[in-house]
Amino acid sequence: MNILGIESSCDDTSISIVKDGKEILSNVTFSQIKKHEKYFGVVPEIASREHLKIIDFVFNEAIKSSGLKPSELDAIAVTSYPGLIGSLIIGVNFAKGLSICLNKPLISVNHLLAHVYSAFINNNIKFPILALIISGGHTAIIKMENFFNFEIIGKTIDDATGEAFDKISKYFELGYPGGPIIEKLSKIGNENAYSFPIPLNNLKKYGLNFSFSGIKTAVMYHRKKFRNRYINTDKYKIFLNPKNEVESILNQKDYNFYKNIIKKQEYLKNIKKLDENENLFDIAASFQKAIADSLYIKLKFALQINHFIKTIIIAGGVSANNKIRNTILNLSKIGYDVFFPPLELCMDNGAMVAGIAYHYYQQKIYSDLNLNPYSRISSLKRGSMI
Ligand code: KG4
Ligand code: ZN
């Protein structure tokens, strides 16, 4: 079965064709990062307009590189919730158009479950599972008996994990998306330099819900406290010294990345007079550690409550983060099977949509042309504790 999957819930327009839920025949993604980076976050109105401009092209490329004719598709799947409403509308209407003109069934997909599926493409995973979804828009622990029966047992009550990375990056004027930038800075920082609070770690009181706005505020206050001094970057200049062997492990791109950051810190030192004892690398690493520890603690607690579940999936854009992967991999040392998607499927993509839709197709779970996109699903609403 060849299923075409459309993903347009945020700032990636992605269309993929997947055979039998496993074999990716094509996966074409057009990222809008360049359009949003100057705002340090996604601007919904710009996102929907960009989807509209490019979706035709992405579709044609996906068909071309799959080697199939449109008539050889068996179904059209699309992310219809949750996400940015204007962006979802573009994907859903495009999918409806294809479904009518090719006379193929239309399949609606939940974006969070599609992220879970991204780990199934390359792995043989047995249910039941606990899935931790950590992305720019969502943070949730989902208990799944199969692709049809699931329950959200924990969620964020404020910022999503990726959003916290993006906001810290924005605060330090580092760029967008913040996750990969903070991860890179952390690589040469000391993660034990500062101890930022681990969010909602009182499990009895807060249960399985997450909160990241507290740690974000802690990082910001910490910075403000030192506002009148400067940053000493000398310690990091070894990374830029061609004679130093550390340099040889950096490729040109990373070299330029660190060089720019250090240049910026030098600039801030002169202009804003920041703290000499404080540095961005250590802050980034300590922040990243607090986030990783918080995710680990909650997941471990969720596993204790659901002691019959031995399999865990971590998916969504933030699951590309190595520190978070390694922290959660500690669960494999105590008897759990831990799965991640391949790096190229962590961010939003059409393959995960087409992949999970194969299982709906087999059960004939189709939608009709009344399918409406929704920005939220009620059980994911902010603020309600379990
Ligand atoms: O899943 P995704 O592509 O989109 C949503 O559904 O939201 O996730 C995007 C998020 C962004 O917030 C980005 O900063 C974060 O994933 N991200 C990372 C990393 N790569 C992407 N966060 C931490 N470390 C990374 N390496
Ligand atoms: Zn996503």
Side-chain angles (χ1 to χ4, degrees), residues 111 115 135-137 162-163 165-166 177-180 183 316-318 320-321 346-348:
H111 183 66
H115 269 303
S135 72
E163 197 179 353
F165 275 93
D166 294 340
E183 178 169 22
V318 185
N321 184 290
C346 287
M347 306 293 271
D348 290 347

Side-chain angles (χ1 to χ4, degrees), residues 292-346:
D293 288 347
S294 151
L295 295 171
Y296 178 83
I297 288 171
K298 292 284 166 165
L299 204 45
K300 198 166 167 206
F301 187 52
L303 288 163
Q304 277 161 6
I305 299 171
N306 297 282
H307 51 87
F308 52 95
I309 298 182
K310 299 288 174 212
T311 305
I312 309 150
I313 286 176
I314 295 91
V318 185
S319 72
N321 184 290
N322 241 319
K323 168 71 188 171
I324 291 174
R325 284 188 174 218
N326 288 334
T327 304
I328 291 174
L329 265 176
N330 283 323
L331 290 169
S332 65
K333 293 182 195 147
I334 50 172
Y336 295 100
D337 288 324
V338 184
F339 294 97
F340 302 94
L343 283 181
E344 67 277 12
L345 296 182
C346 287

